[in-house]
Amino acid sequence: MYELDYLDQLESEAIHIFREVAGQFERPALLFSGGKDSITLVHLALKAFRPGKFPFPLVHIDTGHNFPEALEYRDRLAAQIDEKLIVRNVGDTIKAKGLTEPKGKFASRNALQTFTLLDTIEEFEFDACIGGARRDEEKARAKERIFSVRDEFGQWDPKRQRPELWNTYNGRISKGENVRVFPISNWTELDIWNYIRREKIELPSIYFAHEREVLEHEGQLVAISDFITLEPGDSVVTKTVRYRTVGDMTCTAAVESDASDIDGIIKEIIATKTSERGETRIDDRVSEAAMEDRKKNGYF
């Protein structure tokens, strides 16, 4: 008799969640950024629904500050699997709503993503948005349920979370509400990488060691790009780095690394004591509640 290992169990749970979404919601969407977690979601969705088509489109909320490698991968993967990709741009929202463009050394548009996401949900009347959040990446993520209800304004209230006993998920919502669904909520960063290795999933090149010009700032290495403001005295160096997480170029730091393959990355993750967001996300350092505040306002 075949005995499931822990990756099989995580995979089985995620596939079950995907099929629950397909069964309970009329207009779901999969939020896709070209990062390793959303790439893993696409791989799991292929296992859940092939040979049929996905019962949802891929949706990317593009801030305009993304890494080119992630965007190239995003478009190539969508074409390869022949699934619909919807892209909405934060820059367009800034113009349409007259929003204030962030300023400063690292002018991140992350906070403005929420406006574009909520507009996109309203435009397509999505009643469920599937995301790649994991409970180990940030404190506020751990407060989520797998089916996380948002009210008619897109806001999240941790006190309104529903119990999920025996893998039973309640997707019942009122008109105007939507649910954020997290199929890999019980996975860790190490689980993701072990699964990627087992399934031989291709990733954008920036996850592996490469040389890049970076700005050394408060112990972090930020990629040189048109989206950050260099000042006299800034220390710009070329280092061998990789990225643990892929966000905007304005708020995602690299880590020094010579890990050129997945085995090397897994060894580094086992040795580290810092979460990927804690080590590399500048915007999460604004305050301890930075992520929770964004989530309450509608961030995924």
Side-chain angles (χ1 to χ4, degrees):
M1 181 177 178
Y2 177 70
E3 184 176 343
L4 295 178
D5 70 9
Y6 83 100
L7 288 178
D8 291 325
Q9 293 172 7
L10 290 172
E11 178 189 76
S12 178
E13 177 189 53
I15 289 172
H16 169 67
I17 293 165
F18 267 113
R19 290 173 177 166
E20 282 291 308
V21 171
Q24 294 196 44
F25 298 98
E26 295 181 7
R27 288 176 295 278
L30 194 160
L31 301 178
F32 182 71
S33 66
K36 68 182 185 308
D37 296 326
S38 61
I39 292 168
T40 298
L41 286 181
V42 170
H43 185 81
L44 291 163
L46 289 168
K47 290 200 170 192
F49 301 113
R50 284 296 190 255
K53 298 281 286 183
F54 289 177
F56 42 69
L58 309 181
V59 175
H60 184 211
I61 305 302
D62 185 354
T63 63
H65 293 169
N66 296 102
F67 287 89
E69 297 94 329
L71 295 180
E72 186 276 332
Y73 183 97
R74 176 200 71 186
D75 295 339
R76 179 159 49 87
L77 179 61
Q80 179 184 324
I81 64 175
D82 191 26
E83 293 291 348
K84 183 178 180 180
L85 171 65
I86 296 169
V87 179
R88 290 295 181 267
N89 297 284
V90 174
D92 294 337
T93 306
I94 291 172
K95 292 177 183 177
K97 292 183 176 293
L99 302 177
T100 301
E101 182 80 50
K103 296 179 175 60
K105 192 175 191 68
F106 305 109
S108 172
R109 289 176 169 177
N110 258 14
L112 301 183
Q113 274 185 296
T114 300
F115 293 95
T116 310
L117 175 59
L118 295 179
D119 285 350
T120 304
I121 290 172
E122 183 178 3
E123 177 185 355
F124 293 95
E125 298 183 338
F126 292 135
D127 51 4
C129 293
I130 304 163
R134 306 186 324 269
R135 289 179 183 171
D136 71 321
E137 60 179 313
E138 206 278 335
K139 292 177 181 177
R141 300 289 201 199
K143 295 182 180 181
E144 294 273 19
R145 295 292 191 266
I146 289 174
F147 274 30
S148 181
V149 179
R150 265 44 174 196
D151 65 21
E152 63 271 25
F153 303 107
Q155 296 177 328
W156 173 69
D157 181 354
K159 296 179 180 178
R160 290 186 63 213
Q161 299 301 293
R162 299 166 176 174
E164 293 178 336
L165 306 175
W166 305 293
N167 291 335
T168 301
Y169 307 111
N170 180 1
R172 185 175 299 173
I173 54 175
S174 301
K175 184 174 177 57
E177 295 179 333
N178 66 84
V179 172
R180 310 294 165 83
V181 180
F182 304 110
I184 58 173
S185 183
N186 290 326
W187 299 44
T188 66
E189 182 186 11
L190 185 58
D191 295 335
I192 291 289
W193 280 105
N194 280 326
Y195 188 73
I196 287 169
R197 177 172 61 180
R198 188 185 82 170
E199 299 293 307
K200 298 179 172 59
I201 300 172
E202 182 187 356
L203 295 175
S205 59
I206 60 175
Y207 278 110
F208 303 96
H210 60 283
E211 282 197 348
R212 186 183 289 267
E213 265 198 322
V214 293
L215 167 65
E216 293 184 319
H217 178 78
E218 296 182 357
Q220 294 188 308
L221 304 175
V222 185
I224 299 301
S225 71
D226 294 336
F227 311 125
I228 67 172
T229 303
L230 290 177
E231 300 168 346
D234 278 341
S235 176
V236 177
V237 295
T238 299
K239 287 185 176 288
T240 301
V241 301
R242 69 175 182 86
Y243 286 85
R244 290 180 68 185
T245 181
V246 177
D248 276 7
M249 297 184 77
T250 54
C251 64
T252 307
V255 294
E256 281 197 80
S257 171
D258 59 3
S260 58
D261 58 23
I262 293 178
D263 287 339
I265 291 172
I266 288 173
K267 287 179 183 177
E268 287 187 353
I269 293 171
I270 291 172
T272 189
K273 296 181 180 179
T274 310
S275 73
E276 60 197 281
R277 292 190 72 97
E279 183 175 22
T280 65
R281 292 304 287 269
I282 297 170
D283 52 337
D284 285 345
R285 294 189 173 192
V286 175
S287 73
E288 285 198 9
M291 170 62 81
E292 183 161 340
D293 290 341
R294 290 203 302 275
K295 286 165 63 64
K296 287 179 178 179
N297 290 327
Y299 190 74
F300 80 90

